[in-house]
Amino acid sequence: MRNQKMYEADDKMISLIRDNYDLLQMLGSFGISLGFGDKTVKETCDDNNVDTYTFLAVVNFTINGYGEFDADEQLFVPTLLHYLEASHAYFLDFQLPYIRRELQESLDESESLAKLILRFYDEYAHEIRRHMKYEQKTLFPYVQSLIEGRPANDYNVETFSKHHGAADKKLRELKLLIIKYLPQDGLHNNQLTATLHDIYENEVWLRQHAEVEDHIFVPAIRHLEQQAKQSDVTRNISGMVFKAGASQNPDTLSDREKDVIISLVQGMSNKEIADHLCISVNTVITHRRNIARKLQIHSPAGLTIYAIVNGLVDISSVKL
């Protein structure tokens, strides 16, 4: 449930944290140290060279899902850029490895399904790294060039914003696959439950991170671009699109779609599947799109788990 309180510069920083303990990690990303005693938000921000208005804009937006801030005038982009860069480092260097260690401790790796779950997580982690590394390599340097008054001529934030989407789809799939297909007993069950809780928390964190980028960072960059009279869009980042498909009952899979899944699990390419089933490559691609839309599963590891659990293939025939 949303806090529904708008914090101000004269509020005590300790009150903000007491009311919203999950903001502790955010303090680190802003570069704000603990030990601020009874200082106000403004005093604490000033002590740590953080723009107070920008800090409160992100905090109030994260807590309430909206905020009262002026992207065109008062948001301080260097503070936003530092916050996002530090958030990426936190997630890539700490959270991703931490969750994987938790999964390893929660699962019996001698079981084939457990191996597939870990493989699925590794695919998820790779996708998140690719998504964030793109921003670090392309978007963040571009923003820094705007801050320094030397904008690049071959890029703008509209290119990023138009195709920017939440990168947590695989995380949702992983969570559902564990809940539905991998029940455990005893100690491992407790560990897995705790791991699932952390996965849920990471899902929330990723969504909030994407919303801050979309609703605060991007508008602020648009204003910088207007100031620099930067308007050309010449690069395409469609590979970063994460489309959400419509959910349907998996039981509606056709026999041909099941044949395609079996072939994919066996490691066949689109052309090999087409030859095997005596259909065209375009038809194979259409079937794969329909499968992803119906099952909400978009990776080979996820489809392999689905095929095993639903009896389409025998686990002994799967290469792990």
Side-chain angles (χ1 to χ4, degrees):
M1 185 174 180
R2 294 294 188 181
N3 182 285
Q4 301 299 324
K5 176 177 179 179
M6 301 298 291
Y7 291 94
E8 299 179 356
D10 292 336
D11 288 329
K12 300 290 187 182
M13 181 67 86
I14 189 64
S15 298
L16 187 151
I17 301 303
R18 184 178 59 237
D19 296 344
N20 310 275
Y21 68 89
D22 52 344
L23 295 180
L24 280 170
Q25 185 277 320
M26 182 181 290
L27 291 185
S29 292
F30 271 108
I32 295 177
S33 301
L34 300 180
F36 37 70
D38 289 321
K39 291 182 179 179
T40 65
V41 171
K42 184 179 187 324
E43 290 170 337
T44 305
C45 287
D46 288 347
D47 287 347
N48 291 273
N49 298 314
V50 174
D51 181 70
T52 305
Y53 182 88
T54 304
F55 172 77
L56 285 172
V58 175
V59 165
N60 285 320
F61 180 85
T62 300
I63 292 171
N64 298 305
Y66 64 90
E68 298 177 1
F69 49 85
D70 190 342
D72 289 346
E73 299 296 338
Q74 298 187 52
L75 286 174
F76 189 57
V77 176
T79 293
L80 280 174
L81 182 60
H82 178 272
Y83 166 72
L84 292 174
E85 288 176 327
S87 294
H88 281 201
Y90 162 78
F91 197 78
L92 295 179
D93 299 338
F94 176 74
Q95 279 299 97
L96 284 180
Y98 177 77
I99 293 294
R100 196 186 196 284
R101 288 195 299 271
E102 280 194 310
L103 276 174
Q104 283 183 297
E105 293 173 359
S106 305
L107 301 171
D108 183 353
E109 292 189 66
S110 65
E111 296 180 358
S112 298
L113 280 177
K115 293 179 182 178
L116 287 170
I117 288 289
L118 287 171
R119 181 193 295 179
F120 189 97
Y121 179 81
D122 289 339
E123 291 178 2
Y124 153 74
H126 174 75
E127 184 170 323
I128 292 294
R129 287 186 184 279
R130 181 171 63 88
H131 178 83
M132 290 188 173
K133 291 294 185 183
Y134 163 80
E135 294 182 11
Q136 293 170 338
K137 182 179 179 181
T138 304
L139 178 64
F140 293 169
Y142 167 70
V143 173
Q144 186 61 45
S145 73
L146 283 174
I147 293 171
E148 296 172 359
R150 48 177 186 79
N153 294 320
D154 60 347
Y155 189 75
N156 69 22
V157 77
E158 196 64 33
T159 308
F160 166 78
S161 178
K162 195 175 296 182
H163 297 298
H164 180 234
D168 60 351
K169 181 169 58 181
K170 281 184 178 290
L171 194 62
R172 291 194 299 270
E173 288 183 14
L174 174 66
K175 173 188 64 183
L176 294 175
L177 286 168
I178 293 175
I179 293 172
K180 293 168 67 175
Y181 300 141
L182 204 66
Q184 299 281 335
D185 296 317
L187 176 61
H188 279 196
N189 187 50
N190 293 333
Q191 291 175 328
L192 194 59
T193 299
T195 303
L196 280 170
H197 178 270
D198 287 340
I199 290 174
Y200 271 94
E201 290 291 320
N202 276 271
E203 187 178 353
V204 172
W205 186 94
L206 279 173
R207 183 175 64 251
Q208 290 176 340
H209 177 80
E211 288 174 349
V212 168
E213 288 186 328
D214 287 340
H215 297 287
I216 298 181
F217 190 55
V218 169
I221 303 314
R222 287 197 184 108
H223 178 61
L224 280 185
E225 290 177 337
Q226 290 170 359
Q227 289 181 318
K229 297 180 180 178
Q230 179 74 29
S231 60
D232 293 335
V233 179
T234 60
R235 295 187 64 183
N236 189 321
I237 57 166
S238 59
M240 296 303 296
V241 180
F242 297 91
K243 296 181 179 178
S247 178
Q248 292 191 11
N249 189 333
D251 293 336
T252 62
L253 284 180
S254 68
D255 289 340
R256 181 60 82 192
E257 287 166 346
K258 292 177 182 178
D259 290 338
V260 170
I261 291 178
I262 294 171
S263 300
L264 286 170
V265 170
Q266 292 173 344
M268 295 186 190
S269 65
N270 286 347
K271 186 177 185 308
E272 290 171 336
I273 295 173
D275 293 339
H276 176 65
L277 299 178
C278 298
I279 56 179
S280 70
V281 172
N282 285 339
T283 300
V284 173
I285 294 172
T286 299
H287 283 316
R288 293 188 65 172
R289 287 175 181 163
N290 289 336
I291 290 167
R293 175 174 56 82
K294 292 178 179 181
L295 299 183
Q296 289 294 285
I297 297 176
H298 303 264
S299 70
L303 287 175
T304 300
I305 293 172
Y306 173 85
I308 292 171
V309 172
N310 287 277
L312 299 184
V313 298
D314 190 282
I315 195 168
S316 62
S317 67
V318 177
K319 294 182 179 179
L320 302 175

